[in-house]
Amino acid sequence: MNYKETIRLPRTGFSMKGNLVRKEPEILEKWEKEDLYGKIREARGGAPRFILHDGPPYANGHVHIGTALNKILKDFIVKSHTMMGFDSPFVPGWDCHGMPIEHRVMSDQKETGKRLGRKEIRARCREYAARFVNVQRKEFRRLGVFGEWDRPYLTMNNDYESGIVDAFGKLVAGGYVYQGLRPIHWCMKCGTALAEAEVEYADHTSPSIYVAFRQHEPGDWKDRGIPEGVEVVIWTTTPWTLPANVAVALHPQEKYVLVASGDRTFMVAEKRVSAFMEETGLEGDVQGSPIFSGADLEGLFLEHPLLRDKTSMMIVAEHVTMDDGTGCVHTAPGHGAEDFVVGGVYGLPVFSPVDEEGRFTAEAGDYAGLHVFEANKAIVADLKKSGGLLNSSGIVHSYPHCWRCKSPLIFRATRQFFLGLSRKNLKARVLNMVDDIKWHPGWGYERMKNMMAVRPDWCLSRQRAWGVALPVFTCGECGEPVMDVRVISSVVELVRENGSDAWFEKTPEELFALTGRKPECPSCGSGNLDRVDDILDVWFDSSLSHYNVLRDEYGLERPASVYLEATDQHRGWFGVSLITSEALDLGKPVEHVITHGLVQDMNGRKMSKSLGNVISPLEIIDRQGADILRLWFAGVDYTADFRADLSQLDDAREAYRKLRNTLRFMLGNITYLEDFNFDPASLKGFDRYAYLRFRKLMSFCLEEYRAFQFHRVYREIRNFAVIDLSGQFLDIRKDRLYCGDADSPEVLSTRNLMTWMLKNFIMLLAPLIPFTAEEAWAELPEVIKEGCESVHLALYPRIKDFTEAESAELRSWEPYMEVRRIVMKELEAKRASGEIGGGLDASVALEVPEDMVPSANGEDWADFLIVSGVETVAGEDLSVTVVKARGSKCERCWKILPEVGRLEPADVCSRCAGVLRKMSEGGDE
RNA sequence: GGGCCUGUAGCUCAGUUGGUCAGAGCGCACGCCUGAUAAGCGUGAGGUCACUAGUUCAACUCUAGUCAGGCCCA
């Protein structure tokens, strides 16, 4: 007879196939329709706060794998902490200003051939940024990330811009802001500064000259053992920068030698001697001694080759190479980026006597009025006359050009506004703040300390259009900067009402009129002020998110609990945020800073379109679903760089399938649950083991969620599903759940235990795979959901630590599990020899220690081993004998037992006969 | 060149303060089951812990260096 109808097979609407691509959008829609996020906020109102403050991604392009990883990790934290009982709001943000967007807009404009004004450019940039905020918002939501998507913070919003101006005013008032010179790429034809992204490199023919510098104060040189009359030789391709020369840089460790040629003696790097003599055509002898290192010469002075009243200092710098030139590098801080940096170290003046059109100013003496490239000839001629010129030729090399007009660029020092890190001991204060923040992983501390310590003053001004206007003036008479705190305060209001555009629409008179005054230069008293039309560095924008966003208006407060960004943000957002927070005297902006690695391809290379190795998260979502992507990310240790390969996605999918099937099986079995009444104390046998194991899993996972170690959560959950549930508990308990007496305490307590585990298991999964967890939650009977309509509203239970007795109890299972392993091997051996098929074909004879004879730690031995029968005897050594089970197969539970055939009905075992009898009496099922 | 980081089975990860720590899951191979079935169960084969040299009675675990790779600077 077929007894299938008399057993409780799993039944559930939770399908085996995920169908995530179809289901996830439906769940998303439901969440939004029912305002789940709002309900979570409401439910956690008044709970302890846990604020993850979002570092703003750039509003350009689609979400790529790196931004997806970042937001998903953030979501893991927010969701897990929400379920741990914290009020954990998430306000996403976007960085909207800056070069990349302006560059895109300008490129589009270049194609149309139209030249746009600033107002138009800004409007188009705003439109562009807004478009991609919308694109990315939709994509982030689709990833299952919860947050205030309808009320994000945008750095281009009036409030935010206004806050930037406000903060800038406070920094001015605090004395942190100063004007100084700094060399930048400059297009003489367009008369504008260029950002790095606007520079194109192309071949260009430049002069190539070798110039000898004479000793200044030869006595000082002699004191260091250098003969009088030795000349130091430099090589340059920009003769016109020689008037701005203030130093000659040597490499500190490289060797420098003397070369006697005719009646002169030159000094060059040992490694460059032959190239130097070959190119200049000079003949001479390299002297074996003396030999100097660059460091030996530091601090000596040379005569300036062109300007009689100036000198040039001997300095050392690591950027000096032995690849070209003489190893002695002409240094003009006004005309080179590296020169500027090393000049800063020595406190050298930034001299740059060149105007916007590339003509020398009066400061250049005889060269005044000459265009710099024309001046090359005059300078070469003068050097020749003075004897300083050793050789002059030409060189074709890669040279920076303007992306717009294609003409060659120069480096030119311009007046810029800086945040002085040495003002009021700011850097030291920030370094102290670093001590006060917790860094995850711990080495983030060292990295931040080291980076902050060598950080130069922060150049805040940019000669661009798309950003927040720098609210300052310069005096038209004396040229001094005018940073008027009262005007800035008024501009704060102006910008709050009208955005930063308003600055550009008003004259200095109008701007001063906001304070009821007339323009006046505090230095010279002139009323003739020029509005500075620079914008602020975009890093300044994002650095102020703590100031603009961690406040009531967003339902947040400072300090935030956590910042979480990729490791490149140590110098970036983390660093600049600390600086402004300290400079504004606000204390630390955050308690914990977490960093994750960058996503690379399988070979550790950066993903880029040109390499064709890009993995798109959107494609994965479209084909597999967001939960698969999330599970993939959950499995990796994000503290290291993440080498992403599509093959790993197969593993994530496999893990998902296993988790899903395990959920499905349990859901299918609790269909028969009537009352949820879970009492751990009433559990018996193997149920106790499963219970203790699950408790251990829970406390482990909650601890790891607290420590932001998601890959450990993932590993434990996955192993638990594979080993403890699928391989052990569910396999062992299948017989009881299917065939046992429905009213028996064994069935009821096992079913309650399983229900309890299932509910908590879904909750553990919820932060990682929020869609699937929600889908499973919906299948749970109302009685056990305790009124939570969504799993994301549920709270993790408090899990008690193990008592000594419980630890001992769990340990007491080890020998039994060992017996089980050995029996499995024996069963396998019998299977291989064809004696048995399934485990129920077998009966096992065990020789075990005396205390193991009565039962498997309170569990029925046969059930524990999933065989038809077990006989135990006490023995010294463990021994396992597997034989074919004797008796007949019970047609209901499929065990082979001797009593089958002797009862009524004749084809079932005694347990099943009893159950059948009861069923027919009770009439149920 | 500097600061910081990474390198354990094909893949993703465990391996507290040096001594049964060379492990897990997946994948793979082989087999079983057919009442979780485009499921489920079992068994098995895979690593000289990037490399080299030290310290030590003992090193994946400590020290130094090398190689490969990453981020940020220069």
Side-chain angles (χ1 to χ4, degrees):
Chain A
M1 175 173 173
N2 184 1
Y3 291 98
K4 194 162 179 172
E5 297 309 314
T6 72
I7 65 175
R8 295 176 297 275
L9 290 173
R11 286 202 315 246
T12 173
F14 189 80
S15 66
M16 186 180 280
K17 282 199 69 179
N19 256 323
L20 297 177
V21 176
R22 180 175 57 76
K23 274 186 217 155
E24 285 176 351
E26 291 171 9
I27 294 169
L28 213 47
E29 199 175 318
K30 185 164 179 285
W31 283 339
E32 284 171 26
K33 208 171 88 195
E34 294 172 2
D35 187 26
L36 176 59
Y37 183 79
K39 283 179 179 156
I40 293 171
R41 288 284 65 74
E42 203 176 310
R44 292 294 178 278
R49 303 273 274 174
F50 186 93
I51 296 169
L52 192 159
H53 178 43
D54 193 29
Y58 199 63
N60 185 14
H62 288 263
V63 167
H64 58 79
I65 194 158
T67 38
L69 173 67
N70 177 260
K71 273 291 193 294
I72 287 174
L73 290 175
K74 284 171 176 166
D75 195 51
F76 288 164
I77 292 179
V78 169
K79 283 197 169 80
S80 57
H81 279 73
T82 297
M83 295 184 76
M84 286 190 278
F86 290 96
D87 179 19
S88 188
F90 182 68
V91 178
W94 274 276
D95 204 3
C96 302
H97 294 129
M99 238 351 261
I101 288 175
E102 187 174 339
H103 191 264
R104 286 298 297 262
V105 167
M106 298 297 279
S107 299
D108 293 348
Q109 168 224 311
K110 203 167 63 169
E111 277 162 26
T112 65
K114 268 205 304 189
R115 191 102 182 189
L116 302 176
R118 173 169 40 217
K119 194 173 173 181
E120 181 71 7
I121 291 169
R122 286 174 59 87
R124 290 195 186 192
C125 287
R126 179 172 291 276
E127 201 180 305
Y128 183 95
R131 188 162 91 238
F132 280 101
V133 165
N134 282 330
V135 165
Q136 292 186 8
R137 167 163 43 201
K138 205 169 154 204
E139 291 165 353
F140 284 141
R141 283 181 117 139
R142 180 62 188 82
L143 291 171
V145 177
F146 286 176
E148 304 264 357
W149 293 111
D150 298 325
R151 233 160 36 101
Y153 75 89
L154 307 183
T155 59
M156 65 178 182
N157 282 350
N158 288 1
D159 280 354
Y160 198 104
E161 290 191 337
S162 166
I164 291 169
V165 177
D166 180 34
F168 179 76
K170 290 193 163 117
L171 296 178
V172 168
Y176 292 106
V177 182
Y178 69 90
Q179 193 192 50
L181 289 167
R182 184 171 199 254
I184 51 175
H185 281 293
W186 187 270
C187 178
M188 299 174 284
K189 196 168 165 192
C190 303
T192 59
L194 274 83
E196 202 54 53
E198 294 175 319
V199 175
E200 292 176 356
Y201 288 83
D203 279 349
H204 178 72
T205 305
S206 297
S208 165
I209 62 172
Y210 286 85
V211 182
F213 283 49
R214 296 200 186 87
Q215 293 172 346
H216 180 71
E217 302 288 348
D220 294 346
W221 290 73
K222 216 168 174 181
D223 292 345
R224 303 234 196 142
I226 303 142
E228 193 168 337
V230 167
E231 297 171 76
V232 176
V233 183
I234 64 97
W235 171 73
T236 182
T237 58
T238 53
W240 65 269
T241 62
L242 282 170
N245 173 282
V246 295
V248 171
L250 308 181
H251 192 281
Q253 279 93 47
E254 292 291 345
K255 298 292 172 219
Y256 290 84
V257 296
L258 304 182
V259 181
S261 174
D263 55 353
R264 299 170 77 174
T265 306
F266 303 113
M267 177 184 284
V268 294
E270 187 174 28
K271 288 177 184 162
R272 298 302 305 167
V273 170
S274 53
F276 161 63
M277 292 175 70
E278 192 176 315
E279 288 187 33
T280 56
L282 288 174
E283 308 221 329
D285 300 317
V286 179
Q287 304 189 346
S289 71
I291 295 177
F292 306 92
S293 73
D296 295 336
L297 303 165
E298 186 180 11
L300 292 170
F301 283 88
L302 297 160
E303 300 285 348
H304 196 286
L306 292 167
L307 306 173
R308 236 167 288 124
D309 53 343
K310 289 191 184 278
T311 56
S312 184
M313 188 185 186
M314 300 291 289
I315 61 174
V316 298
E318 300 283 348
H319 71 260
V320 174
T321 72
M322 296 296 131
D323 300 334
D324 50 25
T326 61
C328 309
V329 178
H330 153 54
T331 299
H335 293 300
E338 288 171 334
D339 300 21
F340 177 77
V341 171
V342 69
V345 173
Y346 285 93
L348 300 172
V350 180
F351 189 43
S352 182
V354 178
D355 71 11
E356 296 188 357
E357 292 172 357
R359 293 182 189 283
F360 277 114
T361 63
E363 290 178 299
D366 295 346
Y367 305 111
L370 276 180
H371 187 277
V372 291
F373 286 167
E374 294 165 7
N376 276 338
K377 289 185 210 107
I379 287 167
V380 169
D382 287 349
L383 288 170
K384 198 166 192 174
K385 212 182 298 170
S386 70
L389 186 75
L390 300 182
N391 179 262
S392 171
S393 60
I395 182 174
V396 178
H397 60 161
S398 172
Y399 190 86
H401 288 72
C402 176
W403 69 304
R404 190 188 296 117
C405 73
K406 308 295 179 195
S407 55
L409 303 174
I410 60 168
F411 256 105
R412 173 174 175 262
T414 52
R415 291 182 177 278
Q416 303 290 346
F417 289 84
F418 293 85
L419 183 75
L421 292 182
S422 50
R423 303 281 170 104
K424 292 194 180 173
N425 231 4
L426 179 57
K427 188 183 277 185
R429 284 155 53 205
V430 174
L431 285 167
N432 280 335
M433 184 186 268
V434 174
D435 294 342
D436 211 25
I437 292 171
K438 293 180 189 68
W439 301 86
H440 309 260
W443 49 256
Y445 170 79
E446 310 287 340
R447 190 167 160 88
M448 181 54 80
K449 274 278 199 184
N450 290 329
M451 281 184 174
M452 194 55 75
V454 300
R455 200 170 178 118
D457 282 357
W458 182 1
C459 180
L460 295 177
S461 50
R462 294 292 131 93
Q463 289 69 53
R464 307 300 328 167
W466 180 227
V468 175
L470 192 76
V472 299
F473 308 89
T474 50
C475 176
E477 300 295 326
C478 69
E480 286 296 305
V482 178
M483 300 186 277
D484 189 289
V485 176
R486 286 162 68 191
V487 170
I488 294 171
S489 295
S490 303
V491 173
V492 171
E493 296 310 316
L494 186 69
V495 171
R496 199 189 308 284
E497 291 302 314
N498 307 297
S500 202
D501 290 327
W503 169 263
F504 299 107
E505 288 158 8
K506 293 205 182 300
T507 63
E509 286 71 23
E510 289 170 326
L511 289 162
F512 268 82
L514 297 171
T515 67
R517 295 179 299 152
K518 287 193 155 77
E520 185 183 340
C521 170
S523 303
C524 72
S526 164
N528 173 21
L529 300 187
D530 295 325
R531 194 185 64 211
V532 167
D533 282 349
D534 293 353
I535 59 164
L536 286 153
D537 177 18
V538 274
W539 284 111
F540 191 67
D541 291 12
S542 62
S543 82
L544 288 164
S545 64
H546 62 80
Y547 185 63
N548 288 331
V549 181
L550 294 177
R551 51 205 304 170
D552 269 354
E553 294 94 296
Y554 286 99
L556 305 175
E557 72 254 346
R558 59 180 306 139
S561 311
V562 167
Y563 282 10
L564 167 62
E565 305 297 335
T567 176
D568 56 352
Q569 297 304 321
H570 274 101
R571 173 163 284 269
W573 190 58
F574 297 154
V576 294
S577 294
L578 298 196
I579 291 170
T580 57
S581 195
E582 181 60 47
L584 292 168
D585 284 323
L586 293 169
K588 61 182 171 184
V590 65
E591 306 273 358
H592 298 266
V593 175
I594 307 174
T595 43
H596 64 261
L598 285 105
V599 184
Q600 302 156 353
D601 76 1
M602 208 37 206
N603 304 312
R605 300 172 65 170
K606 203 181 163 108
M607 285 190 185
S608 74
K609 275 180 194 155
S610 56
L611 284 172
N613 58 356
V614 174
I615 297 175
S616 161
L618 305 173
E619 223 167 86
I620 293 170
I621 291 168
D622 282 348
R623 296 205 185 135
Q624 330 245 4
D627 274 356
I628 302 291
L629 181 69
R630 294 177 65 111
L631 208 51
W632 182 22
F633 288 166
V636 298
D637 176 3
Y638 62 78
T639 59
D641 285 335
F642 173 27
R643 295 194 174 194
D645 188 87
L646 242 21
S647 70
Q648 295 160 6
L649 207 56
D650 295 341
D651 187 50
R653 208 164 47 228
E654 189 56 32
Y656 179 83
R657 209 181 48 72
K658 186 70 185 184
L659 291 170
R660 186 171 181 98
N661 263 316
T662 306
L663 291 174
R664 175 176 137 91
F665 184 71
M666 291 198 281
L667 284 167
N669 277 293
I670 64 160
T671 300
Y672 303 94
L673 181 83
E674 281 164 9
D675 293 309
F676 182 52
N677 182 16
F678 176 55
D679 174 19
S682 74
L683 297 173
K684 296 220 160 43
F686 195 69
D687 287 1
R688 277 296 291 178
Y689 175 78
Y691 165 70
L692 292 172
R693 288 281 301 162
F694 193 83
R695 245 178 68 188
K696 206 162 187 184
L697 172 76
M698 278 296 278
S699 46
F700 179 89
C701 289
L702 294 183
E703 202 171 302
E704 297 298 350
Y705 268 137
R706 213 166 287 129
F708 320 116
Q709 300 272 7
F710 314 112
H711 70 291
R712 287 171 175 270
V713 174
Y714 168 88
R715 195 186 66 234
E716 289 305 305
I717 287 182
R718 184 177 185 180
N719 281 354
F720 195 88
V722 171
I723 301 167
D724 292 273
L725 289 176
S726 195
Q728 296 173 358
F729 178 73
L730 298 175
D731 205 27
I732 286 171
R733 283 294 178 249
K734 228 184 280 192
D735 172 71
R736 179 180 287 179
L737 291 165
Y738 289 4
C739 306
D741 174 0
D743 304 320
S744 67
E746 292 78 27
V747 168
L748 291 179
S749 73
T750 292
R751 187 181 288 150
N752 274 295
L753 166 64
M754 192 185 62
T755 305
W756 174 79
M757 290 198 292
L758 171 60
K759 176 189 178 185
N760 286 297
F761 199 65
I762 293 170
M763 286 168 60
L764 284 180
L765 286 169
L768 306 182
I769 46 173
F771 293 102
T772 302
E774 190 75 321
E775 187 192 349
W777 188 260
E779 296 290 326
L780 289 177
E782 292 302 323
V783 277
I784 66 166
K785 290 202 259 190
E786 292 173 317
C788 281
E789 55 188 300
S790 164
V791 67
H792 302 292
L793 283 161
L795 282 168
Y796 288 126
R798 226 168 263 289
I799 301 295
K800 276 187 243 143
D801 289 340
F802 271 8
T803 62
E804 277 300 316
E806 284 169 332
S807 295
E809 187 186 348
L810 188 56
R811 270 199 308 278
S812 74
W813 280 91
E814 282 168 17
Y816 296 94
M817 300 307 282
E818 178 61 17
V819 169
R820 194 167 187 269
R821 272 190 292 276
I822 294 167
V823 169
M824 292 302 159
K825 279 190 215 288
E826 282 304 307
L827 287 170
E828 189 62 25
K830 294 289 174 190
R831 239 193 304 271
S833 63
E835 286 180 63
I836 61 165
L840 290 179
D841 293 344
S843 180
V844 178
L846 294 176
E847 201 176 306
V848 289
E850 196 160 358
D851 60 317
M852 294 173 79
V853 170
S855 72
N857 219 14
E859 176 63 39
D860 180 83
W861 268 113
D863 285 352
F864 182 58
L865 300 173
I866 322 183
V867 293
S868 281
V870 175
E871 283 175 28
T872 52
V873 292
E876 292 286 305
D877 299 312
L878 186 66
S879 105
V880 174
T881 312
V882 171
V883 297
K884 216 162 155 43
R886 283 194 317 211
S888 304
K889 179 175 175 184
C890 167
E891 289 302 325
R892 186 162 177 274
C893 72
W894 293 353
K895 284 182 192 167
I896 296 170
L897 294 166
E899 79 252 24
V900 177
R902 297 181 204 153
L903 304 157
E904 185 55 40
D907 55 357
V908 298
C909 67
S910 60
R911 186 266 314 262
C912 288
V915 173
L916 288 170
R917 203 175 313 122
K918 224 176 142 186
M919 281 171 70
S920 63
E921 283 165 9
D924 52 47
E925 295 195 47

